[in-house]
Amino acid sequence: MKKALICLSLVAALALTACGGGTESAAPTATPEATPESTPLPDDILNQPATPPEGGVDDGMAVTPGDDTAAEPDSELSGMVDTIYEAYPVELMMMTTSAVNLGDESWCTYNTGLTAEQAALVDAGVLSESMTGSQAYSLVLLRVKDEADAQTIADAVLNNIQMNKWVCTMADKARVATFGDKVLFVMSNSELADVDALMDAAAEALGVTFDYDQSKTAEM
């Protein structure tokens, strides 16, 4: 009987050991993390306009003063220049009609001879020149704010503009005239254009009579 109890005890012990081992579970297999799906932004956010950075736009990104290409030339004045060239063609390389930057004193003085105070009397202006920088020819057409100032502006342009502003060349003849609120100035080397012929053709083509007309020559 005693032996039977011992045997039963051993059987029971073995059974418990086997059950204990069976309760151990294998290490869980690692599964790859699912990639989270992006949530689209609502249409009302996507369609909002961009806002400037806090503090405003850097002034260094502004258009450089003197850059005449930043403004379109006045349509009335540029149209008159086209009419003049139809009557008296000036065939130079890369001829361009651009706006005169009246707000930049150094460039305005260089192109028209006007000071800042004189430029303040002008409403708009255009400049027609060759872009090569080595052909002594320039046409300036200005519209003054008050017709009474036209002669004052004409004299300032004629007397102050530099006739030798080009590289290794200069204009030998200059002429300025006024008609109404307009001031027309032309200077050129005689080998490139006849200033008197151009001015006379301009008056006829525009259908105007000059109110004031002055000219000067430069010593070569």
Side-chain angles (χ1 to χ4, degrees), residues 117-139:
E117 292 75 17
Q118 293 164 340
L121 303 176
V122 179
D123 177 53
V126 295
L127 170 73
S128 178
E129 290 186 347
S130 165
M131 297 297 288
T132 62
S134 60
Q135 294 182 299
Y137 170 84
S138 182
L139 182 152

Side-chain angles (χ1 to χ4, degrees), residues 11-193:
V11 172
L14 290 173
L16 288 174
T17 302
C19 291
T23 58
E24 293 182 2
S25 61
T29 304
T31 57
E33 295 183 0
T35 303
E37 295 183 2
S38 58
T39 304
L41 293 175
D43 291 340
D44 58 343
I45 296 179
L46 288 173
N47 295 328
Q48 287 182 358
T51 55
E54 185 176 355
V57 179
D58 184 359
D59 291 339
M61 298 298 289
V63 177
T64 302
D67 183 5
D68 288 345
T69 60
E72 290 293 328
D74 182 88
S75 59
E76 181 194 20
L77 299 180
S78 60
M80 295 175 76
V81 172
D82 292 341
T83 300
I84 293 171
Y85 287 152
E86 288 175 3
Y88 187 97
V90 177
E91 299 177 352
L92 301 178
M93 293 185 294
M94 299 176 65
M95 283 288 291
T96 302
T97 299
S98 58
V100 174
N101 190 340
L102 298 169
D104 189 307
E105 184 174 6
S106 60
W107 277 88
C108 184
T109 301
Y110 177 75
N111 288 316
T112 69
L114 301 178
T115 63
E117 292 75 17
Q118 293 164 340
L121 303 176
V122 179
D123 177 53
V126 295
L127 170 73
S128 178
E129 290 186 347
S130 165
M131 297 297 288
T132 62
S134 60
Q135 294 182 299
Y137 170 84
S138 182
L139 182 152
V140 176
L141 181 58
L142 307 172
R143 182 177 62 238
V144 294
K145 298 176 181 178
D146 186 341
E147 186 175 331
D149 295 322
Q151 183 174 330
T152 298
I153 295 301
D155 285 336
V157 174
L158 183 65
N159 294 329
N160 299 327
I161 199 167
Q162 298 298 311
M163 297 178 68
N164 61 344
K165 67 176 189 173
W166 295 275
V167 178
C168 300
T169 186
M170 66 181 295
D172 54 35
K173 178 69 179 284
R175 184 173 167 183
V176 68
T178 68
F179 51 99
D181 61 352
K182 308 296 191 303
V183 177
L184 175 62
F185 171 83
V186 178
M187 65 177 173
S188 179
N189 186 293
S190 298
E191 295 180 355
L192 302 178

